Amino acid sequence: MAKIRIVGDASGYVELSAQNAAGNNTLELPSGSTKLVGSDNSGNIVVGVVTATSIAGVSTAGITTAYIGAINDGPISGARNRIINGGMDFWQRGTSFTSLTSSTYTADRWYLNMGTPGTGVFRVDRDTSVPSGQPFPYSWKLSPSTAMSSVGAATYVSIVQFIEGFNCADLRYGTSSAKTITISFWARSNVTGIVPVSIIQNSAAATYERAYPATYTINAADTWQKVVIVVPGDTSGTIAYDNTWGLQLNLFYMAIGSNYQSGTVNSWNTNSAGTQYIASGQTYLNRANSTSNNFYITGVQVEVGPNPTEFERRSYGQELYLCQRYYQTTYPPGTAPGTNTSGSGFANMVGRTGMSGVNSSGEIFQSALFRVPMRATATVTVYDRLGNSGKVTGTQYLSNDTDNLASGAVDQGSCGFTARVLNVGTFGGISYHYTAAAEL
């Protein structure tokens, strides 16, 4: 085996040798003064630019279009997913919601959007059924507890997440540079068939919304499947860079009436009359016609670009922080507001002792800062330790604490609020739980 040894001016050398096997190998140095590999006078390694159409010994299996430094025009290091709580980790309001006949928030950031449900009554639950091999702890489950016998023209029941304008105005809607987004999630249902989807844009440039109807198909009953929907950038409407909602994602309709079925599928529609949420020309099932029916969803991601990437899991603390911009509570995670927590004393409650907060009229004021600054002025409700709404617990040293004292939240803002109690009497302070909501 032949070798080439290059000796420097001083001691030491570089030796090049061919592999001990049949065949030829070529080392081609770049033209000009560019170095392939070298070092400067300080001993730092210098690597020149190398361009290759193929690299021997490296398989291209599983490699698709990729860019060093970016994936789908977004950072490799994170912040790709515009959805909050896409893995269904956080349920600050509780883990089961029953007897639902109107719209309500359930899991953090996830809204059951409902109108004119007729005979339909619904429930939402945190469920442990998740797609095999995926990193999601829970799924969001929707089912009728009372069947909807028929779908009225103005009926709709859907799962929604609103994306704040601050988090999606960079999509550059309304310009020739409007960005494509990819929506991906895992879905499961016992009912197969076509499912309508609607992406609604809150156009800042006009008094109307814009709607992008799409569909996907549940192919097999009771089987998790991944859904991918690519939505081209809208060059007409614009999204305001502010704290109002910019995009509304309806990812599943359990039922939807004819009033909303006049859109053109896979196209941005002017939604001035609110009738083009979903596409016309399709037969949509009433999936609420039996209490045996269900729908599960988890692993929701919205990212810039035309290609879906693996679900981006943020740290537990970071995801909770993002949720608390819109809703926060002093109750332990998964504990419904209004729960009796007297068994754990004053743990987790906001409290103040001492007489410094009592004025000459016997009123006491206690200010609390939110754990996270909220999207807007929050709506605050206080609870005593027994779970009574609008009440607080009067505290004394060691004994004689009293519940059910009337209270109210005053001076509510985006960073905190003040609780006010009349006729506090001999109590030296107050303690309470609170919820604060600033949803879109």
Side-chain angles (χ1 to χ4, degrees):
M1 179 176 62
K3 299 180 181 180
I4 299 175
R5 180 174 293 182
I6 303 172
V7 180
D9 295 335
S11 62
Y13 58 85
V14 173
E15 186 173 87
L16 304 178
S17 62
Q19 62 180 347
N20 188 19
N24 299 319
N25 297 279
T26 301
L27 174 64
E28 184 174 339
L29 299 177
S31 61
S33 59
T34 303
K35 294 180 180 180
L36 183 63
V37 178
S39 62
D40 59 20
N41 293 332
S42 300
N44 299 313
I45 299 298
V46 178
V47 180
V49 176
V50 178
T51 302
T53 57
S54 64
I55 304 175
V58 177
S59 171
T60 58
I63 299 177
T64 57
T65 302
Y67 305 90
I68 300 303
I71 296 176
N72 276 347
D73 297 322
I76 273 181
S77 57
R80 288 181 290 108
N81 193 359
R82 307 302 176 95
I83 291 292
I84 297 173
N85 199 28
M88 306 300 171
D89 296 67
F90 296 100
W91 298 69
Q92 291 188 87
R93 295 172 174 86
T95 58
S96 185
F97 306 82
T98 60
S99 303
L100 301 177
T101 57
S102 59
S103 300
T104 186
Y105 275 93
T106 54
D108 278 68
R109 304 297 303 119
W110 291 104
Y111 187 62
L112 179 65
N113 195 24
M114 189 185 314
T116 320
T119 60
V121 181
F122 298 87
R123 65 177 296 151
V124 171
D125 295 282
R126 186 179 74 180
D127 202 274
T128 55
S129 174
V130 294
S132 178
Q134 297 299 316
F136 319 121
Y138 305 111
S139 60
W140 185 96
K141 178 186 177 184
L142 173 65
S143 57
S145 49
T146 301
M148 183 188 295
S149 56
S150 61
V151 179
T155 295
Y156 55 90
V157 181
S158 68
I159 176 175
V160 172
Q161 181 157 148
F162 295 94
I163 302 179
E164 190 174 350
F166 284 136
N167 297 331
C168 59
D170 64 307
L171 297 178
R172 302 175 193 170
Y173 283 11
T175 74
S176 59
S177 301
K179 294 185 178 182
T180 294
I181 60 173
T182 296
I183 304 168
S184 58
F185 55 91
W186 289 84
R188 170 189 161 184
S189 177
N190 68 314
V191 182
T192 60
I194 295 174
V195 178
V197 172
S198 185
I199 296 87
I200 311 297
Q201 177 198 156
N202 186 12
S203 180
T207 58
Y208 57 81
E209 298 170 340
R210 303 268 296 165
Y212 187 93
T215 63
Y216 61 93
T217 301
I218 300 292
N219 296 310
D222 301 317
T223 303
W224 282 103
Q225 67 180 69
K226 189 168 185 178
V227 177
V228 176
I229 301 169
V230 179
V231 181
D234 183 15
T235 58
S236 295
T238 59
I239 298 174
Y241 183 70
D242 61 20
N243 66 348
T244 62
W245 69 271
L247 288 176
Q248 172 188 340
L249 277 67
N250 297 270
L251 299 182
F252 172 82
Y253 286 92
M254 184 155 268
I256 186 164
S258 58
N259 285 359
Y260 311 106
Q261 300 185 23
S262 61
T264 300
V265 70
N266 298 330
S267 179
W268 281 104
N269 297 257
T270 298
N271 196 37
S272 56
T275 61
Q276 297 176 310
Y277 291 152
I278 67 171
S280 60
Q282 299 278 1
T283 299
Y284 301 110
L285 299 174
N286 174 11
R287 295 173 176 268
N289 64 356
S290 170
T291 55
S292 298
N293 292 351
N294 55 58
F295 175 76
Y296 301 75
I297 188 171
T298 192
V300 186
Q301 180 151 295
V302 173
E303 58 191 307
V304 175
N307 302 306
T309 63
E310 289 298 311
F311 181 79
E312 179 189 21
R313 279 201 69 84
R314 293 178 281 257
S315 72
Y316 186 90
Q318 183 182 7
E319 200 75 29
L320 177 60
Y321 188 97
L322 294 174
C323 292
Q324 288 176 332
R325 174 171 170 79
Y326 305 93
Y327 181 87
Q328 57 184 272
T329 176
T330 55
Y331 285 98
T335 302
T339 297
N340 185 331
T341 60
S342 58
S344 56
F346 295 99
N348 300 311
M349 299 178 73
V350 173
R352 178 173 181 171
T353 58
M355 297 296 291
S356 60
V358 182
N359 64 19
S360 59
S361 300
E363 300 171 312
I364 190 169
F365 295 84
Q366 193 270 321
S367 296
L369 292 177
F370 294 139
R371 298 170 177 185
V372 173
M374 304 196 73
R375 179 192 65 86
T377 297
T379 299
V380 177
T381 303
V382 296
Y383 301 84
D384 68 11
R385 63 181 172 177
L386 300 182
N388 296 310
S389 176
K391 309 291 185 177
V392 300
T393 298
T395 58
Q396 294 193 47
Y397 181 67
L398 295 180
S399 63
N400 299 319
D401 299 322
T402 300
D403 301 296
N404 209 35
L405 294 180
S407 178
V410 298
D411 298 327
Q412 301 171 51
S414 61
C415 293
F417 69 98
T418 299
R420 172 175 176 257
V421 183
L422 298 174
N423 302 318
V424 72
T426 61
F427 296 106
I430 56 175
S431 293
Y432 53 88
H433 285 293
Y434 73 82
T435 62
E439 296 284 3
L440 290 160

